[in-house]
Amino acid sequence: MTRIRFQEVAIKATHRWVDADGKKRQETRKFWQTISPFNKRPDGTLKTEADIEREITAQRDAWLATGDQQL
């Protein structure tokens, strides 16, 4: 059986904050998608690398803006 690997497009972001006890905290999250025949736009055409970068950058910005802290 042959394994097929698709190209990954990814960015990382680190959210830093000081918790209620005054301790410094940080969380790093990776936002990613692959360029594959299954990753399509709503109209059914394949996503390009630029499309994916726009989407994951928007996801990263939204995550940083909300300040989610998962501990």
Side-chain angles (χ1 to χ4, degrees):
M1 188 163 131
T2 304
R3 186 172 288 205
I4 299 172
R5 294 194 172 250
F6 297 109
Q7 180 183 349
E8 181 182 279
V9 179
I11 57 174
K12 286 185 179 181
T14 302
H15 175 67
R16 293 177 175 89
W17 72 96
V18 177
D19 68 8
D21 298 329
K23 191 170 184 178
K24 292 182 179 181
R25 303 282 185 174
Q26 75 177 26
E27 180 182 2
T28 301
R29 189 177 287 182
K30 179 179 173 181
F31 300 89
W32 63 276
Q33 290 184 26
T34 59
I35 298 176
S36 73
F38 308 106
N39 196 358
K40 298 180 180 182
R41 294 186 201 123
D43 65 1
T45 58
L46 296 178
K47 288 184 184 177
T48 63
E49 187 171 351
D51 294 332
I52 294 171
E53 284 181 9
R54 275 193 300 277
E55 285 185 15
I56 62 178
T57 300
Q59 290 173 353
R60 178 202 61 193
D61 294 343
W63 177 69
L64 289 172
T66 59
D68 286 343
Q69 302 150 5
Q70 297 177 354
L71 291 176

